[in-house]
């Protein structure tokens, strides 16, 4: 009965997606990312000069609206190359390939910043569910689940020793107005923050947080504790 109530309220959707994303993907690729970044940096020393940016920058749009081609989403984001592939045999698939793409992001001064960036792919599932009548998943459900996905993933990664220092979560709400370079500005802010952490600058020169960027504190205020997945048993049974 408790399980049925949980399913009807869709409390398990984001929680399950976050764990699946971590166990089936991030836990595999993130521990190997630093080595790939180091190999690329040795061959291209001028592109990845700041070691703090040697991370996978994971985009988490709370709308769950994902563009498969980042270059089409924002012309200031240009594909550069792929990092070294990781090949593993997984779940019956021989030589399964995992790889990350490196992008050059142009700022307002035409300076290029380089980083590995990609969307959190489980958000595509949340979006598809909201478009499928069989799922009975509303737009409001989708947004709440996107917030819960972010919070759950953040907590999982914080506890992961293997993934420490190898990722940067970028959660954001998109502006209602059409802004052609919205996405590149979001990523650039995080890159600039990491540069400031490695090369301290005076406080007055530090970049300001975009109004659309969200942190876990803001997200937690928007989600009540009742939205979190509940255990199927309690001490009373």
């Amino acid at each position: 009965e408790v399980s049925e109530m949980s399913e009807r309220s869709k409390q398990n959707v984001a929680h399950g997606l976050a764990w699946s994303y971590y166990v089936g993907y991030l836990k595999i690729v993130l521990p190997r990312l630093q080595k790939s970044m180091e190999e690329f940096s040795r061959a291209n020393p001028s592109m990845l000069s700041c070691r703090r940016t040697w991370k996978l920058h994971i985009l988490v749009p709370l709308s769950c609206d994902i563009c498969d081609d980042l270059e089409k989403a924002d012309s200031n984001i240009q594909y550069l190359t792929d990092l070294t592939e990781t090949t593993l045999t997984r779940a019956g698939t021989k030589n399964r390939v995992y790889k990350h793409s490196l992008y050059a992001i142009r700022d307002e001064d035409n300076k290029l910043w380089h980083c590995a960036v990609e969307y959190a792919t489980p958000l595509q599932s949340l979006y598809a569910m909201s478009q499928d009548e069989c799922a009975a998943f509303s737009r409001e459900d989708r947004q709440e689940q996107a917030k819960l996905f972010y919070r759950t993933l953040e907590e999982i990664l914080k506890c992961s020793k293997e993934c420490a220092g190898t990722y940067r979560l970028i959660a954001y709400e998109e502006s209602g107005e059409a802004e052609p370079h919205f996405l590149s500005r979001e990523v650039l802010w995080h890159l600039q923050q990491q540069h400031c952490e490695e090369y301290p600058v005076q406080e007055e020169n530090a970049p300001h947080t975009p109004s659309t960027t969200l942190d876990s504190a803001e997200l937690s205020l928007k989600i009540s504790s009742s939205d979190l997945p509940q255990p199927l048993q309690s001490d009373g049974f």
Side-chain angles (χ1 to χ4, degrees), residues 170-190:
I170 305 177
Y172 59 89
E173 286 184 314
E174 294 161 306
S175 171
E177 301 178 1
E179 298 183 45
H181 302 306
F182 168 83
L183 187 57
S184 59
R185 284 201 300 272
E186 289 292 323
V187 179
L188 281 168
W189 183 83
H190 283 268

Side-chain angles (χ1 to χ4, degrees), residues 70-173:
L70 285 172
E71 293 177 301
K72 291 182 179 178
D74 190 322
S75 60
N76 278 349
I77 302 177
Q78 295 296 317
Y79 168 77
L80 189 62
T81 188
D82 290 330
L83 295 175
T84 305
E85 298 177 350
T86 295
T87 304
L88 300 171
T89 296
R90 295 275 296 175
T93 301
K94 292 286 187 181
N95 301 320
R96 184 171 181 177
V97 175
Y98 299 86
K99 66 179 180 179
H100 307 290
S101 295
L102 199 67
Y103 287 87
I105 303 177
R106 188 178 304 276
D107 65 16
E108 294 178 351
D109 299 321
N110 281 327
K111 177 182 176 181
L112 293 179
W113 302 67
H114 303 91
C115 70
V117 59
E118 61 189 50
Y119 284 102
T121 51
L123 296 180
Q124 287 182 315
S125 297
L126 287 177
Y127 189 87
M129 287 177 67
S130 69
Q131 304 298 307
D132 194 318
E133 293 182 1
C134 295
F137 203 74
S138 69
R139 180 179 178 182
E140 290 74 22
D141 290 331
R142 182 183 75 201
Q143 188 173 42
E144 288 304 308
Q145 290 299 307
K147 296 173 187 176
L148 182 54
F149 171 84
Y150 171 79
R151 286 184 56 206
T152 305
L153 183 62
E154 183 183 46
E155 289 302 315
I156 293 170
L157 288 170
K158 279 182 180 178
C159 297
S160 173
K161 295 180 180 179
E162 302 98 321
C163 299
T166 62
Y167 66 91
R168 182 96 171 190
L169 296 179
I170 305 177
Y172 59 89
E173 286 184 314

Side-chain angles (χ1 to χ4, degrees), residues 48-53 192-202:
L48 295 174
S49 57
C50 177
R51 294 185 68 94
R52 282 189 176 270
T53 63
Q192 290 162 356
Q193 283 294 96
Q194 292 169 90
H195 270 260
C196 290
E197 292 167 5
E198 182 156 325
Y199 308 109
V201 295
Q202 294 182 352

